[in-house]
Amino acid sequence: MATEHDTIRGTAGGTAPVPLSVLDLATVGSGSTAGRALRTSVELARTAERRGFHRFWVAEHHNMDGIASAATAVLLGYLAANTTRIRLGAGGVMLPNHAPLVIAEQFGTLEALAPGRVDLGLGRAPGTDGATAAALRRTDRLNEGADDFPQQLAELTRFLDDDFPDGHPYSRIHAIPGPVQGTANGGVQPPDRPQIWLLGSSGFSARLAGSLGLPFSFAHHFSAANTVPALQLYRESFRPSAVLDKPYALIGVAALAADDEKEARRQVMTGALSMLRLRTGRPGLVPTPEETEAYEFSGAERDFVDSWLADIVHGTPDQVREGLDSLAARTGADELMLTANAHSAGARVRSYELVADAYGLPGGPAA
């Protein structure tokens, strides 16, 4: 089944202390296009697969010119067609934006296309601004979705497992592809389904994931101060389930390696300026290094950027390895999911190659 432990727990390769994975936002840089960004996502996924990374996730965001992964399930289908082994998933789908049946159908389809390697990470934030969230949900009651998240999750799980009880209004509705379908010999297909993960940046999803015995992914890359408390709450709340007999926590980490410190700093500054613009209501394409170097930061903006960069692991491959090892030890995370936020597609691909080299992962030049 897709819920067995070996679909969740990766094996650390080389000298990595825990499995390493990749989170991609299909970043659109200034001077580029969404089409190029999506093709870069394929290149990144192939690189991650070749170099022994455990999983490759993409994230749902809307109304953001610099992120091309809004149609998450569509992009995952493209990635599934261009990879063969690496686990693929959403990191995540913002469940309040969607009807649970639609997500069950989309990810059931992905599971049929890439059997045994699909993760469904679920979040309760909108992944966008309020007006866009209202357009997605066709309602102005934006708090309703987040408040109803546990009920939406239960409904989605029922659709994925096709196990609504008799008498339930949805008992005759089946998410297809799914376990209701017969196989060629007339039997019932194995109940493989996407592996559900809960995502969060605070304590709510940590507690819920623990109580349900689900794997948990925490957004350390933009909520670093909450990482240790949230993971502790998850572990304290954990109850064994058919999915997991003990907690499994993954954390998202902003990390970028380059051949020298100066170049690493130059690249991560593009992501920092992009985030500054987003946080101050000026979202757009990720600026080039040259644009970033020419930008005149105010004192308050410089403070924001310095604070942001403090939580990004960047530098030479050895420096990044040291930073990741330290983070894994400090948090006790079972897996690290790296996201390289930078303008240059080449710099991001190069970063994952350098990290893999630093840990002696397979598929390198000497392989």
Side-chain angles (χ1 to χ4, degrees):
M1 290 180 62
T3 56
E4 292 178 352
H5 298 178
D6 59 0
T7 70
I8 300 170
R9 302 181 188 280
T11 300
T15 58
V18 296
L20 303 177
S21 294
V22 174
L23 172 65
D24 182 44
L25 302 182
T27 303
V28 186
S30 177
S32 188
T33 65
R36 290 177 186 170
L38 296 171
R39 288 189 289 274
T40 296
S41 291
V42 171
E43 183 181 2
L44 287 169
R46 287 172 167 169
T47 297
E49 181 170 79
R50 175 174 55 81
R51 296 309 312 269
F53 288 84
H54 184 49
R55 61 184 101 235
F56 188 96
W57 284 2
V58 295
E60 176 188 347
H61 293 281
H62 300 277
N63 196 31
M64 296 182 186
D65 292 342
I67 296 177
S69 55
T72 310
V74 177
L75 177 53
L76 287 171
Y78 184 38
L79 297 175
N82 284 278
T83 57
T84 58
R85 301 182 309 277
I86 194 168
R87 291 194 66 83
L88 300 169
V93 164
M94 300 298 105
L95 186 55
N97 293 341
H98 311 279
L101 175 58
V102 171
I103 298 305
E105 291 173 336
Q106 289 177 350
F107 279 78
T109 301
L110 289 168
E111 178 66 30
L113 292 170
R117 61 187 186 108
V118 177
D119 295 326
L120 174 52
L122 299 168
R124 68 187 189 108
T128 187
D129 59 275
T132 306
L136 284 164
R137 303 176 195 179
R138 309 301 299 171
T139 177
D140 58 3
R141 295 175 295 176
L142 299 184
N143 291 329
E144 184 179 86
D147 292 343
D148 289 348
F149 182 77
Q151 291 73 31
Q152 291 176 308
L153 173 61
E155 184 178 309
L156 172 59
T157 303
R158 291 281 192 185
F159 276 125
L160 288 172
D161 291 336
D162 194 44
D163 68 349
F164 282 103
D166 291 340
H168 191 282
Y170 298 158
S171 62
R172 298 180 65 183
I173 300 174
H174 310 291
I176 298 173
V180 68
Q181 292 176 277
T183 60
N185 62 8
V188 176
Q189 74 175 36
D192 288 354
R193 66 161 170 81
Q195 174 55 56
I196 291 177
W197 289 68
L198 293 195
L199 279 58
S201 58
S202 63
F204 180 92
S205 292
R207 183 182 288 108
L208 182 60
S211 68
L212 297 175
L214 293 174
F216 177 57
S217 172
F218 186 82
H220 174 82
H221 54 298
F222 62 80
S223 188
N226 292 324
T227 302
V228 171
L231 295 188
Q232 181 177 353
L233 181 60
Y234 168 61
R235 292 165 183 141
E236 291 173 348
S237 304
F238 187 83
R239 300 292 181 270
S241 70
V243 177
L244 288 174
D245 55 7
K246 60 182 179 179
Y248 192 90
L250 171 160
I251 62 173
V253 184
L256 188 137
D259 292 295
D260 59 69
E261 289 184 66
K262 183 178 179 181
E263 180 60 18
R265 176 81 174 192
R266 185 169 180 263
Q267 292 294 336
V268 297
M269 278 295 295
T270 66
L273 178 55
S274 181
M275 181 56 63
L276 170 65
R277 288 173 169 171
L278 175 64
R279 292 289 179 89
T280 55
R282 299 171 291 156
L285 304 182
V286 179
T288 66
E290 292 76 17
E291 290 177 80
T292 304
E293 289 166 351
Y295 185 84
E296 295 184 5
F297 291 89
S298 69
E301 289 176 335
R302 177 60 63 183
D303 289 343
F304 173 87
V305 167
D306 289 344
S307 176
W308 184 257
L309 291 176
D311 294 320
I312 298 179
V313 181
H314 63 286
T316 66
D318 286 343
Q319 289 172 326
V320 170
R321 172 178 170 164
E322 181 180 351
L324 295 178
D325 287 352
S326 175
L327 185 60
R330 180 166 61 86
T331 63
D334 298 291
E335 185 172 337
L336 300 180
M337 178 166 277
L338 313 185
T339 182
N341 297 318
H343 171 273
S344 168
R348 286 182 280 131
V349 174
R350 177 68 173 158
S351 176
Y352 292 117
E353 292 275 17
L354 290 174
V355 170
D357 288 344
Y359 281 112
L361 298 184

